[in-house]
Amino acid sequence: MLSEESSFVQSKQYAEFITVTCHNWQHVLADNQVKDIIISSLSYLSKVHRVSVYAFVIMSNHFHVLWQVLGDHERSAVQRDLLKYTSQKILKLMKDEESPVLADLLVKAKDRKYQLWQRNSLGIPLWSDKVVWQKLAYIHDNPVKAGLCKRAEDYLYSSAGFYWNADKR
């Protein structure tokens, strides 16, 4: 767990708050299998030392991540790879399960038939500890404010439980 005194991993880039939204705010992420694809992808990026993930929450139509890109990796490349990979996996799952939501993602563009993610995801560099802690609280409070749980640590698709349980050790 991060303490208020701890510093983030040494990197040439600041930690960032990222918001990724589903195309037209469709509720693509309501399925837990879809949420698992995103968690698995974030876990992989962390395992191969492309990012350090400090917090996340996955809602039904968007997700937030507080992360830091590591080493010489470029944020744009890491984010592009995450979104491309998760899009491919999620669209395949939706096709296999004949999801009715798939029709809402139909765009028939020159380079794609479906679009899962809104273009131009929000990315905010976090320049101060105060802003980092504000964004961390915002991420963890998201499912509580949406009425999905009473306590942030009870929502399975958030890092809040990791922070809560670390305090109990």
Side-chain angles (χ1 to χ4, degrees):
M1 183 182 110
L2 296 173
S3 69
E4 295 211 27
E5 296 81 32
S6 69
S7 60
F8 288 100
V9 176
Q10 290 299 315
S11 176
K12 66 180 184 176
Q13 300 179 57
Y14 288 95
E16 288 184 294
F17 172 78
I18 305 290
T19 299
V20 177
T21 306
C22 295
H23 183 67
N24 292 332
W25 288 89
Q26 294 296 318
H27 293 273
V28 176
L29 310 179
D31 183 335
N32 289 347
Q33 292 178 84
V34 172
K35 291 181 186 91
D36 290 337
I37 290 169
I38 294 169
I39 289 174
S40 175
S41 299
L42 290 171
S43 178
Y44 174 78
L45 289 173
S46 181
K47 181 180 173 184
V48 298
H49 307 291
R50 290 184 77 186
V51 298
S52 284
V53 176
Y54 300 113
F56 70 91
V57 66
I58 305 170
M59 305 298 285
S60 66
N61 59 6
H62 70 284
F63 67 93
H64 301 291
V65 180
L66 198 161
W67 72 4
Q68 187 172 23
V69 176
L70 302 175
D72 290 329
H73 298 288
E74 295 296 327
R75 184 201 53 83
S76 60
V78 174
Q79 187 169 329
R80 177 202 63 223
D81 293 349
L82 170 69
L83 298 182
K84 182 177 179 181
Y85 178 79
T86 55
S87 180
Q88 290 171 347
K89 295 289 275 190
I90 292 167
L91 288 171
K92 181 181 181 333
L93 176 68
M94 293 176 78
K95 288 174 188 174
D96 291 348
E97 294 189 350
E98 298 177 5
S99 171
V101 178
L102 195 57
D104 296 325
L105 302 175
L106 192 61
V107 292
K108 295 184 182 178
K110 285 184 179 181
D111 63 339
R112 70 188 53 142
K113 185 175 180 179
Y114 299 101
Q115 184 169 334
L116 179 63
W117 305 120
Q118 250 346 67
R119 295 200 184 269
N120 302 320
S121 301
L122 176 67
I124 300 171
L126 304 177
W127 302 86
S128 73
D129 289 345
K130 180 180 178 183
V131 177
V132 168
W133 291 102
Q134 286 173 341
K135 294 302 182 189
L136 184 78
Y138 176 82
I139 285 171
H140 291 160
D141 287 341
N142 222 257
V144 176
K145 288 180 180 176
L148 300 174
C149 58
K150 291 194 185 291
R151 301 177 320 159
E153 62 271 17
D154 293 336
Y155 187 66
L156 293 178
Y157 293 97
S158 165
S159 56
F162 296 107
Y163 284 84
W164 179 258
N165 291 326
D167 283 343
K168 301 213 180 253
R169 289 184 202 147

